[in-house]
Amino acid sequence: EIPVVCHTTEDGRENINLYKAAGFAEVLIKPVEPGELFSVIMKYLNDTGAGSVLEKDDLFTDTFPGEADEDTRPEVEKLPVWLKIIPHIDLVAGVNNCGSATEYMDALYIFYSSIETRADELQSYYETNDRTMFALRVHSLKSMARIIGAVKLGSLAAELEKAAREGNDDFIDLHIKGFLAEYRRYKQVFSPLDEESETKKLIEENRVVQKPADPGPAVDHSRCVLYVQNGQGIVKKGFETNLTAAGFEVITIPDEPDRIIAYRNEVDIVLYYPGIDEKSHTGITMNLLAEICQDDAKIFCLIGDMDELDKAMSVNGARRVSRAYQRPVDITGFIQDMEYFSELEKDFHKKKTVYVVDDDPGYLSIIGHWLSDDYNVSCFQRPDEALEGLNVVTPDLVLLDYEMPEMDGCMVMKAIRTGFPDPGIPIIFLTGKNDRDHVFRILEYKPDGYLLKTSGRETILDSIRRFFVETLFKRSLSERPLPQDVPDGV
């Protein structure tokens, strides 16, 4: 039960959720700021400096009790007064999980509207002694309770789930009545959500206030190149000339951080010509460009003499470079690469299609709502329906729950990998299962990622976006496909 904090390099960032799922309490990315380190340590130590202040099960979640930060406090203040006086509801955790007061109220309504159905199901599974379905449904309820910050209900659900899986019927018999009474109590507690009152007005008003201004038609930057030079010269000018002749828009600037930042949103491809003289600051520029290209999903390329490239590739920012072109450069191949990168960027910015497979209709409603602004989302409560859907549309990503009746997530993944024309459809598990045995069973199937349902809205959205960004980067590292008219064997 001792919390273990992992600290790893930037390369490990994409595996944060796997680390947490495997049991790490926290993951820090090096270089670690002293203040951040202190904050994490104090999160797990009590005032005497010994022991964890969190329950064991909390070590596997992204939801921790605590005071509202500067971003959360204004959102909590927007919530209606009647909600703030309900006991055993952590509004800070709920708003953090959902991202805003508006999203929290929407999630709360989804939770509230399913109480009668869920409670009746749990009662039925208990009375018929169907411990498998009882465990499944109480597990789903645990996840939903934690999302909205229903601390007491979530803890009770976790205890009942454990008892059902261990066959501890005495514990279930002793606590089921009180648990169902506590659960059904929320139907009355949250009843103002049904009223045509200030609550619904608040939701609509917040939605209008928070809705961003219409950005207009999307601007295609896939053929825009930011050409960062160290110094001037005829050779360096030649690359700009060739790119312009090939139909690319080229923005040429010196390797000055403020200039780079000013143009970061105008381009999708970055080309850097470093220097080796004493006036050059290759390391600073490389790290800045790598960070920008990672965060904004841009292609990053180098060009220069061998000694210039060696210096540039020796710093940390080299991890994000897709191609390095040593002079003299084959201009024809160079332009073909730029065309290839342009197509990759154009494809990346298309609206992606995401399938979500989960037997819990409440969670499906929440996650579908969270994803709908950025993706074309199709939600499936039954795995067989999702498999049928794959025959109609090939999604860009499948978010897959693990524990479902009839077919668990691993069975669904195996069916996709072996029974469809495109076995490489990316699959990320989005599940509440976080114990070691389940985690390692899932990882044996080599999914493309692992997310916990208890992660907040922003964590889930950021993880999915990072997955697509990393996919773009990996594709940029592969050689461009040969033209279709090239003979076989060439």
Side-chain angles (χ1 to χ4, degrees):
E1 298 183 11
I2 299 172
V4 180
V5 177
C6 167
H7 55 98
T8 182
T9 63
E10 179 67 33
D11 292 338
R13 184 182 295 277
E14 64 185 73
N15 295 317
I16 283 179
N17 286 290
L18 292 179
Y19 298 154
K20 287 189 175 183
F24 284 106
E26 198 80 36
V27 181
L28 296 172
I29 303 297
K30 293 185 282 191
V32 180
E33 294 292 332
E36 181 185 14
L37 177 61
F38 178 79
S39 175
V40 167
I41 290 174
M42 293 310 297
K43 181 186 290 187
Y44 298 101
L45 296 180
N46 59 25
D47 292 337
T48 63
S52 171
V53 298
L54 298 175
E55 294 296 326
K56 178 181 178 181
D57 201 44
D58 285 331
L59 298 180
F60 302 96
T61 75
D62 290 324
T63 304
F64 296 99
E67 296 184 1
D69 58 27
E70 293 182 3
D71 294 330
T72 306
R73 191 176 296 109
E75 292 299 313
V76 173
E77 289 301 317
K78 294 178 184 177
L79 297 174
V81 175
W82 63 264
L83 189 57
K84 297 176 183 177
I85 60 176
I86 297 175
H88 308 304
I89 294 290
D90 188 340
L91 298 180
V92 173
V95 171
N96 276 332
N97 287 337
C98 297
S100 69
T102 302
E103 296 288 350
Y104 178 67
M105 294 298 289
D106 287 343
L108 205 61
Y109 188 81
I110 291 171
F111 173 86
Y112 161 74
S113 61
S114 67
I115 289 176
E116 289 182 357
T117 302
R118 281 174 176 267
D120 289 345
E121 278 185 346
L122 285 169
Q123 182 84 43
S124 173
Y125 292 136
Y126 167 72
E127 292 175 351
T128 58
N129 205 35
D130 187 342
R131 291 295 179 259
T132 299
M133 289 304 301
F134 181 86
L136 280 171
R137 289 295 173 257
V138 79
H139 171 79
S140 298
L141 176 54
K142 177 187 71 175
S143 297
M144 287 289 291
R146 287 177 169 178
I147 286 174
I148 66 165
V151 180
K152 181 178 178 182
L153 185 67
S155 297
L156 290 173
E159 292 174 357
L160 282 174
E161 179 190 7
K162 180 181 179 183
R165 298 191 188 286
E166 294 177 351
N168 189 348
D169 288 346
D170 290 341
F171 183 91
I172 296 174
D173 293 340
L174 182 62
H175 293 92
I176 185 62
K177 185 176 180 180
F179 173 76
L180 289 175
E182 172 72 10
Y183 184 27
R184 287 190 168 105
R185 181 180 68 87
Y186 284 104
K187 189 67 178 178
Q188 177 62 36
V189 168
F190 292 146
S191 60
L193 290 168
D194 259 342
E195 300 173 4
E196 291 293 337
S197 63
E198 293 301 315
T199 301
K200 283 196 173 182
K201 290 180 183 178
L202 171 73
I203 295 175
E204 294 305 320
E205 288 170 0
N206 283 343
R207 184 173 284 114
V208 172
V209 170
Q210 293 177 4
K211 184 178 180 180
D214 183 3
V219 179
D220 181 9
H221 293 307
S222 63
R223 297 190 69 82
C224 297
V225 178
L226 182 64
Y227 186 18
V228 184
Q229 294 184 4
N230 180 273
Q232 300 291 326
I234 296 176
V235 173
K236 296 177 182 178
K237 182 69 176 176
F239 293 107
E240 178 183 348
T241 302
N242 281 284
L243 284 167
T244 302
F248 287 88
E249 178 184 347
V250 183
I251 300 173
T252 304
I253 61 171
D255 61 343
E256 299 171 1
D258 56 340
R259 298 287 296 278
I260 293 171
I261 293 171
Y263 287 103
R264 66 182 293 176
N265 295 324
E266 306 297 320
V267 303
D268 274 347
I269 301 173
V270 175
L271 182 64
Y272 179 39
Y273 201 129
I276 57 172
D277 58 61
E278 59 184 18
K279 295 181 180 180
S280 66
H281 36 79
T282 300
I284 296 174
T285 302
M286 282 289 296
N287 290 332
L288 174 61
L289 290 175
E291 182 178 340
I292 288 174
C293 290
Q294 177 172 285
D295 291 345
D296 299 349
K298 303 183 190 302
I299 306 293
F300 181 22
C301 298
L302 298 178
I303 197 163
D305 293 322
M306 176 60 77
D307 51 356
E308 294 167 330
L309 295 180
D310 284 344
K311 181 178 179 181
M313 293 300 288
S314 67
V315 301
N316 189 41
R319 71 186 188 280
R320 210 65 194 179
V321 173
S322 295
R323 294 279 200 284
Y325 300 93
Q326 181 184 345
R327 291 183 50 209
V329 177
D330 172 12
I331 293 299
T332 300
F334 170 72
I335 296 298
Q336 287 177 348
D337 278 350
M338 295 300 114
E339 295 284 359
Y340 174 51
F341 295 149
S342 174
E343 289 302 315
L344 289 183
E345 286 286 354
K346 191 177 295 184
D347 182 64
F348 172 80
H349 290 293
K350 290 178 182 176
K351 197 167 188 178
K352 304 288 192 297
T353 297
V354 177
Y355 277 10
V356 187
V357 188
D358 196 308
D359 66 309
D360 181 356
Y363 189 76
L364 271 182
S365 297
I366 290 178
I367 195 67
H369 177 65
W370 288 355
L371 295 171
S372 59
D373 284 346
D374 299 315
Y375 305 100
N376 297 315
V377 186
S378 294
C379 295
F380 300 91
Q381 193 174 341
R382 292 171 52 91
D384 57 337
E385 293 175 348
L387 294 175
E388 290 175 9
L390 292 174
N391 290 318
V392 180
V393 175
T394 300
D396 298 285
L397 176 64
V398 175
L399 294 178
L400 184 59
D401 188 21
Y402 172 77
E403 199 163 37
M404 297 179 287
E406 300 178 12
M407 295 179 71
D408 66 28
C410 289
M411 294 170 65
V412 176
M413 183 173 180
K414 185 176 180 180
I416 294 173
R417 291 286 183 256
T418 59
F420 287 87
D422 185 359
I425 298 172
I427 297 173
I428 292 178
F429 274 84
L430 178 60
T431 178
K433 300 305 296 181
N434 51 30
D435 60 277
R436 182 183 177 89
D437 290 342
H438 282 100
V439 168
F440 281 93
R441 184 188 175 212
I442 291 171
L443 295 184
E444 285 177 2
Y445 283 82
K446 297 185 170 137
D448 297 274
Y450 191 107
L451 288 168
L452 294 176
K453 285 185 178 180
T454 45
S455 301
R457 175 179 180 272
E458 294 306 317
T459 298
I460 290 175
L461 292 179
D462 182 62
S463 296
I464 293 173
R465 185 181 185 278
R466 281 183 176 275
F467 166 76
F468 284 124
V469 170
E470 291 306 310
T471 299
L472 168 70
F473 176 59
K474 290 172 184 175
R475 291 179 66 190
S476 75
L477 295 175
S478 63
E479 294 297 326
R480 63 181 184 274
L482 292 169
Q484 293 183 354
D485 57 353
V486 173
D488 291 340
V490 175

